[in-house]
Amino acid sequence: MPKTLFDKIWDAHLVDVQDDGTCLIYIDRHMVHEVTSPQAFEGLRTAGRSVHRPQATLAVADHNVPTTDRSKGIANPESRIQVETLESNVEEFGVPYFKTDDIRQGVVHIVGPEQGFTLPGATIVCGDSHTATHGAFGSLAFGIGTSEVEHVLATQTLLQKPAKNMLVKVTGTLPDHCSAKDVVLAIIGKIGTAGGTGYVIEYAGEAIEALSMEGRMTVCNMTIEGGARAGLIAPDQKTFDYIQGRPMAPKGAAWEQAVEYWKTLHTDDGASFDEVVELDVTNLAPQITWGTSPENVLSIEDNVPNPADEPNAEKKASIERAIGYMDFEAGQAIEGVAINTVFIGSCTNGRIEDFREAAAIAKGRKVADGVRALAVPGSGLVKEQAEEEGLDKIFVEAGFEWREPGCSMCLAMNDDRLSPGDRCASTSNRNFEGRQGKGGRTHLVSPAMAVAAAIKGCLTDVRKLG
Amino acid sequence: MEKFTKLTGVAAPMPIRNIDTDMIIPKQFLKTIKREGLGKNLFDEMRYLDDGSENPEFVLNQDAYRNATIIVAGDNFGCGSSREHAPWALNDFGIKVIISTSFADIFYNNCFKNGMLPIRVDEDTLNKLMDDAERGANATLTVDLVSQTITGPDGGEVKFEIDEFRKHCLLEGLDDIGLTQQKSDKIDDFEAKRKADQPWMYR
């Protein structure tokens, strides 16, 4: 029987199937960070359990780390304790770890692919919903809670039921000044934030194939914002080229053997999906969120909705609430709205290609007066690469702050956060109330659109900058 | 894990769509290394005013709902991050049951690991239960996991669906890890086969 890519990976990881259909699946790769792991390690300690396979695990601190001078340590005592707790746990349980002063340190979902820890056909989990990122390599990757982190540490398996299959087929050629971020925002706008609940999404079509690995990671990363735990893309030559030679990637004969297998990882002709969504990106305009849910997506030339047009009472109330929080008038234009903060970075858009895209717009221009603009590389290696290419100078000359790597203002667990009433054009993944700081207002955009907003001091159409 | 069999309690209405994990427990409270103590910061940004005092508008600050053990919520409850701090905060406050038309997958799963019961119902049922909940402390709901029913204050009963294995684990208060470790032979066999078939996965 023809199988989907998801079905193939799932079937290859079945350890046991109970009579009621609950499956025990094997987990190949487990990434760990400081926020969602302390209680899991504590649970192991209390029960006298060990880590089943430390070498299948990789830990890094990212959420709490300062993006300013690292040598001074972490000022906030709770943040410091959380990072120190991770350090003592990895030591006690023998888990590989990149220290905060290691050049390989960075946002967990940038580090995994960069090191060749992320491989096609693998099951990959992390106590973090943006684990979906790794699906760009044709791996089944999803976020889990802390109890499940403990379960994976102890057993290298998880109890799961199979998800349903959704195909998102993206056709056409992406226009200039649009990138992977615009594609995924458009998809979420179309399916809604609960549209993917219960599904694993496979992204396919010529517009997906045309994306770089970085772009594919951006698309898969935000799958969770469409409600699906995992998004995946069939591996191809681009995938293999990206992985080859990375420190933890297979080498020699093992590499050849792996590639042979990886070439079988695609959906078979005639395999059926429970749901199919199509999107033609030929005429896509730069996308932006107006509200407090990632499904509140508009083209930059469009207007904020009017709740009076919404027949469903619950949806109408949610539009009213979002308009109130974002301090908008019903039906107003989104373009031209003043911003005072710009954030470029995160596991969504913190890779080298994102900084190249941003620098191309920033070059020779200046950040508008009164705008605070942060450029935060996703890892030490991304930072190093950007500096080798001279991108840091472009950002600094334009008036950006060029920072140390980490999650930073995506969720504001460190000192990088919005104050009440601040409005931010952000390349991150969530625009929830208070996400980037209590009372802060977030507009999700691509790196190019974020820079355009920094230059103009307002939400603007990057295409008009030329 | 604590068992869950039957609960009678006050249900608080939260007719808001997409109540996300940042609303349930904002990130500044994720710096803890413990599971306990998060209840005081549940729904922190909605629950407290800027000066730290209680927002009287917020449902759980109203006398009728201070002791709520059930929340009846709008669609897609628990969307956003994987943070188990969200169910931990609800549990610590005393909320054991959440009823909605849908839940985000990770949140839904996390609830069961903490002896809590998320219940999916259809839209008409949700509207009815929301009306019941609006009636305040006089209107309690009874949730019976064994019979898979919710009984309203007027005696009306609705059935709900739940996965058999999850039901079993909740009723018995079973520890997943202990159950899985009973299958360690199967895990060992799987690993041996995998090492032979896909040696590149082992480093």
Side-chain angles (χ1 to χ4, degrees), chain A residues 12-16 18 20 22 24 26 28-29 35-36 38-39 49 52-53 55 57 64 76 78-79 81-82 85 96 117 119-122 127-129 143-148 150-151 154-157 159-161 193-194 196-199 224 227 229 248 250 254 257-258 261-262 293 295 312 314-315 318 321 411-413 430 432-438, chain B residues 14-18 20-23 26-36 38 44-46 48-52 73-76 79-85 88 101-106 109-110 113-114 120 123 126-127 130 163-166 169 175-181 183-188 190-191 194-203:
Chain A
H13 290 84
L14 285 174
V15 174
D16 185 46
Q18 293 174 193
D20 70 324
T22 302
L24 189 66
Y26 192 75
D28 294 306
R29 295 283 185 265
V35 180
T36 54
Q39 298 85 353
R49 290 168 174 148
H52 182 78
R53 215 180 125 200
Q55 290 304 313
T57 315
N64 283 281
N76 179 291
E78 287 177 299
S79 289
I81 288 168
Q82 206 164 49
T85 303
F117 187 71
L119 296 175
D128 194 289
S129 61
I144 56 178
T146 297
S147 295
E148 290 183 315
E150 186 179 338
H151 194 281
T155 69
Q156 208 59 39
T157 64
L159 286 162
Q160 297 277 301
K161 284 231 168 148
T193 187
T197 301
Y199 290 94
I224 187 69
R229 280 177 90 170
M248 297 180 184
Q257 195 185 355
Y261 173 66
W262 294 344
S293 166
E295 70 184 0
N312 176 300
E314 198 182 278
K315 286 184 185 168
S318 107
R321 183 182 173 94
L411 88 166
M413 268 188 82
R430 288 192 177 129
F432 297 155
E433 290 179 18
R435 169 79 177 183
Q436 295 189 291
K438 188 174 182 178
Chain B
M14 293 190 74
I16 304 173
R17 288 168 63 78
N18 301 328
D20 59 65
T21 50
D22 282 74
M23 272 188 203
K27 67 262 166 193
Q28 61 268 36
F29 307 110
L30 307 188
K31 294 179 183 179
T32 177
I33 57 170
K34 304 268 177 246
R35 280 182 164 89
E36 304 78 22
L38 289 163
D44 194 86
E45 291 182 8
M46 293 196 270
Y48 301 106
L49 298 171
D50 288 344
D51 65 4
D75 192 50
N76 197 29
C79 60
S81 97
S82 64
R83 61 186 70 158
E84 201 162 312
H85 309 69
W88 292 338
T101 39
S102 79
F103 294 88
D105 286 335
I106 305 177
N109 207 31
N110 282 341
K113 310 292 182 191
N114 292 282
R120 292 190 196 108
E123 203 173 333
L126 188 82
N127 291 339
M130 196 71 81
D163 177 275
E164 269 306 309
F165 180 64
R166 285 183 156 141
C169 290
D175 164 25
D176 279 358
I177 298 177
L179 286 178
T180 298
Q181 285 186 328
K183 296 179 179 170
S184 62
D185 287 353
K186 287 187 174 176
I187 298 172
D188 292 346
F190 183 93
E191 286 186 325
R194 196 155 182 79
K195 260 183 200 162
D197 295 347
Q198 298 191 13
W200 63 86
M201 279 295 188
Y202 288 77
R203 47 181 198 95

Side-chain angles (χ1 to χ4, degrees), chain B residues 88-132:
Chain B
W88 292 338
L90 287 160
N91 202 358
D92 195 54
F93 179 89
I95 303 292
K96 305 292 175 190
V97 172
I98 304 112
I99 304 170
S100 178
T101 39
S102 79
F103 294 88
D105 286 335
I106 305 177
F107 175 85
Y108 185 78
N109 207 31
N110 282 341
C111 284
F112 289 99
K113 310 292 182 191
N114 292 282
M116 298 161 65
L117 177 60
I119 302 176
R120 292 190 196 108
V121 294
D122 63 33
E123 203 173 333
D124 288 344
T125 304
L126 188 82
N127 291 339
K128 169 74 176 66
L129 294 172
M130 196 71 81
D131 286 345
D132 288 342

Side-chain angles (χ1 to χ4, degrees), chain A residues 192-212:
Chain A
T193 187
T197 301
Y199 290 94
V200 163
I201 296 177
E202 179 176 347
Y203 299 98
E206 68 252 25
I208 297 294
E209 288 164 23
L211 291 175
S212 64

Side-chain angles (χ1 to χ4, degrees), chain A residues 117-427:
Chain A
F117 187 71
T118 301
L119 296 175
T123 44
I124 304 178
V125 297
C126 174
D128 194 289
S129 61
H130 290 109
T131 308
T133 313
H134 308 262
F137 292 79
S139 54
L140 177 61
F142 53 91
I144 56 178
T146 297
S147 295
E148 290 183 315
V149 169
E150 186 179 338
H151 194 281
V152 176
L153 288 171
T155 69
Q156 208 59 39
T157 64
L158 270 181
L159 286 162
Q160 297 277 301
K161 284 231 168 148
K164 291 181 285 183
N165 280 287
M166 182 189 289
L167 175 66
V168 173
K169 193 173 177 188
V170 187
T171 57
T173 307
L174 204 55
D176 286 349
H177 295 305
C178 279
S179 62
K181 185 63 165 287
D182 300 295
V183 173
V184 72
L185 285 173
I187 292 168
I188 297 161
K190 193 174 169 106
I191 68 172
T193 187
T197 301
Y199 290 94
V200 163
I201 296 177
E202 179 176 347
Y203 299 98
E206 68 252 25
I208 297 294
E209 288 164 23
L211 291 175
S212 64
M213 287 315 295
E214 286 87 349
R216 294 178 189 182
M217 283 187 256
T218 299
V219 171
C220 287
N221 170 274
M222 286 192 71
T223 303
I224 187 69
E225 271 61 64
R229 280 177 90 170
L232 36 81
I233 295 172
D236 59 11
Q237 194 57 44
K238 267 185 209 176
T239 319
F240 310 146
D241 290 346
Y242 181 98
I243 299 169
Q244 192 164 24
R246 296 197 178 257
M248 297 180 184
K251 311 230 167 6
W255 170 260
E256 301 299 330
Q257 195 185 355
V259 171
E260 276 310 297
Y261 173 66
W262 294 344
K263 284 180 177 168
T264 69
L265 295 172
H266 53 77
T267 291
D268 296 327
D269 288 341
S272 71
F273 286 86
D274 302 289
E275 183 77 40
V276 177
V277 174
E278 296 199 31
L279 177 75
D280 182 347
V281 294
T282 308
N283 297 312
L284 193 70
Q287 303 286 293
I288 183 165
T289 61
W290 64 267
T292 54
S293 166
E295 70 184 0
N296 299 148
V297 174
L298 294 174
S299 292
I300 183 64
E301 54 220 14
D302 288 343
N303 294 354
V304 170
N306 188 335
D309 300 335
E310 175 56 58
N312 176 300
E314 198 182 278
K315 286 184 185 168
K316 183 179 175 180
S318 107
I319 295 172
E320 281 170 346
R321 183 182 173 94
I323 283 181
Y325 184 85
M326 296 299 287
D327 194 27
F328 281 142
E329 301 287 333
Q332 80 164 79
I334 192 90
E335 194 172 357
V337 171
I339 53 102
N340 65 357
T341 312
V342 168
F343 171 63
I344 299 175
S346 85
C347 58
T348 310
N349 282 128
R351 284 168 284 270
I352 187 65
E353 187 179 274
D354 301 310
F355 292 97
R356 289 181 188 142
E357 176 186 321
I361 306 293
K363 191 167 187 178
R365 296 189 167 106
K366 292 284 180 199
V367 170
D369 286 345
V371 174
R372 177 188 182 209
L374 262 60
V376 184
S379 73
L381 289 168
V382 169
K383 181 168 186 269
E384 183 183 60
Q385 174 73 28
E387 289 173 356
E388 274 173 22
E389 296 179 20
L391 306 184
D392 58 322
K393 290 193 183 65
I394 294 173
F395 287 117
V396 170
E397 279 165 20
F400 278 82
E401 296 174 36
W402 179 247
R403 295 292 193 89
E404 296 298 317
C407 297
S408 181
M409 200 185 272
C410 174
L411 88 166
M413 268 188 82
N414 69 353
D415 291 336
D416 308 336
R417 68 175 77 98
L418 298 181
S419 298
D422 283 351
R423 190 181 292 275
C424 181
S426 178
T427 69

